[in-house]
Amino acid sequence: DDHRVDDNGGVQSVRRARTRTLAPALRACLLLTVPAATAAAQTGANVLLVVNDVSAASVQIGEAYARARAVPPRQIAHIRTELADEIPRAKFDEAVQAPIAAWLSRYNLQDRILYLVLTKGVPLRVAGSGDRRGTIASVDSELTLLYHRMLGFPVPLPGWVPNPYFLGNKAPSEARRFTRAASDLYLVTRLDAFTANEALALVERGATAPAPEPAAQVVLDQKATLVDRGGDAWLQEAADRLRAANAGDRVLIEATRAVASTAHPVVGYYSWGSNDPANQRRRSGLRFVPGAIGGMFVSTDGRTFAEPPADWHPSDPNGGGPVFGGSFQSLAGDLIRDGVTGVSAHVAEPYLDATIRPQILFPAYLAGFNLAESFYLAMPYLSWQTVVVGDPLCAPFSSRTPPPAPPGDEMDPETDLPALFAKRRLTILARSGLRVEALKLMLKAEAAAAHGNATSVEALLVRATDIESRLSSAHLRLALAYEQRGDSAKAVERYRRVLATDANNVLALNNLAYALATRDGAPKDALDLATRAYRLSPTPVVADTLGWIQHLLGNDAAAAPLLERAARGLPASADVLVHAAVVHAALQNLRQARSELDAATKLDPRVASRPEVSALRARLGR
């Protein structure tokens, strides 16, 4: 199925390189086909709350949620990033993902945390290319794979990643609670709405939702047209599964082209939103009870949670109506305003087969799974376009059995890491055939680094490399540490030790070349190393190294295209811009040199004090 949802076709960082590396009566009816989820309800002790300190709304909502769910202070991660729906991939890595990973490591929370809860003000979307092999993704969906990435698994940028927690074609009775022992994911939701007050109301509904009254209905609104029948089939299957569980009188399925309506309270809702020609409106007209969840088969209903003008309304799939936030389609924020407690939405085109499956979502939720589990059981793909809005712990259909002590606090004394995380990490590293005792020391050094114990880090890494000379990552960490304290000789030695066993290690080639050329005054010796690195990985940062070495050798004509590429790829690097300015000035391209020098000093005023920059300014007459 290649249909779109609409009808229009429907973390290691270094100086020189980086990678992407029930109410009782209703519950009794529904538990015939889905196992009750009663014994392992999670609490705020399993949550990492993420607050963007740049946003007053984010701080306010975070404080309210922390109080409502008793989230411990050390499980409130503070980040600082721009207030925008969309951010560049590099900015996501640097200002969102990396700080959250560092927070988890600093407080040994890798295993304890099951849920990441983002707050209004955390960006929605990572910028990228479109289509099925595109690199656009929701911030939330990318963060589901953070534990996986922290273990050392690479995640490809193009396209989606299958969700291992997705129930798929299995029977509802095979659904299981989300646990750390069974998964290396985080379930990510967000607390968002058009306004901060609406988001605060969302928090209140999620944290205090009572068991819904037996008359509360699940409303399923089919489009009933000749196109995109797949979604209608899923809605019918949802109704059939609930009826098979003796809950038929709780199900309302609108199988005509009319818009679904009911006088009953509503605990579940799914429709086509504005993709239904009959549903060109913002208000559902339904009375949602606290704890109600839902969603829509709409491509971009999560594109923004900025509030539209009062006179804006969604329009039909053929377009032509007023655009808001880049589209004419329905917005999930309107369902939140109507009173839903949890909703799934899409930040960009997901394609129909990537959307939430209502035939899994509602049976799971009504059987006692919490909000996050229910949506993620029904979600086919990760690293894709979906966001889930709501309190992940909301579970009005679960029993009130007190939860057990939160898992994940056991520590591994040999690595000083959480026990399950350490075991998984060590298993992955051991596949390399390197000595396990050296790997354990390296992991212990990672833990020491996360806790700010730099002295222990160096000693542990030296011991690890003495035991296992092939431990390239430990050599590289040491080399970077030596560079930072100005010990070029020791750094060069470590880079050479890496290349002795891994001749094509791009990071070692690149950094050794840069050190030889700039610190040891040997650009001739560096040229071959930098050329090899560039052939293996022609990234902007490697282009900068090779271009600067060509300049130091007097080859400015060869340096210019390399540094221009580096400047395009690293526009926020003052160092790269200075290099480009120097070379353009040497080639008499003075206007370009002035522009690059001005941009560099604006990014980092400290560069103005460098001798080469002072000399360049004098030459440029500035």
Side-chain angles (χ1 to χ4, degrees), residues 507-584:
L507 181 56
L509 286 167
N510 182 77
N511 288 17
L512 177 57
Y514 195 79
L516 290 174
T518 63
R519 297 183 183 91
D520 294 356
K524 288 184 179 180
D525 296 337
L527 181 61
D528 179 61
L529 296 166
T531 302
R532 286 164 55 194
Y534 190 73
R535 287 172 180 166
L536 290 165
S537 181
T539 59
V541 72
V542 181
D544 175 63
T545 298
L546 180 56
W548 190 242
I549 291 171
Q550 291 283 20
H551 163 72
L552 294 176
L553 291 170
N555 302 325
D556 287 315
L562 291 163
L563 291 170
E564 288 166 1
R565 174 173 184 170
R568 287 194 302 269
L570 297 168
S573 172
D575 287 339
V576 171
L577 289 169
V578 167
H579 290 168
V582 168
V583 168
H584 283 128

Side-chain angles (χ1 to χ4, degrees), residues 30-44:
L30 291 177
L31 297 189
L32 298 181
T33 61
V34 184
T38 60
Q42 292 94 20
T43 71

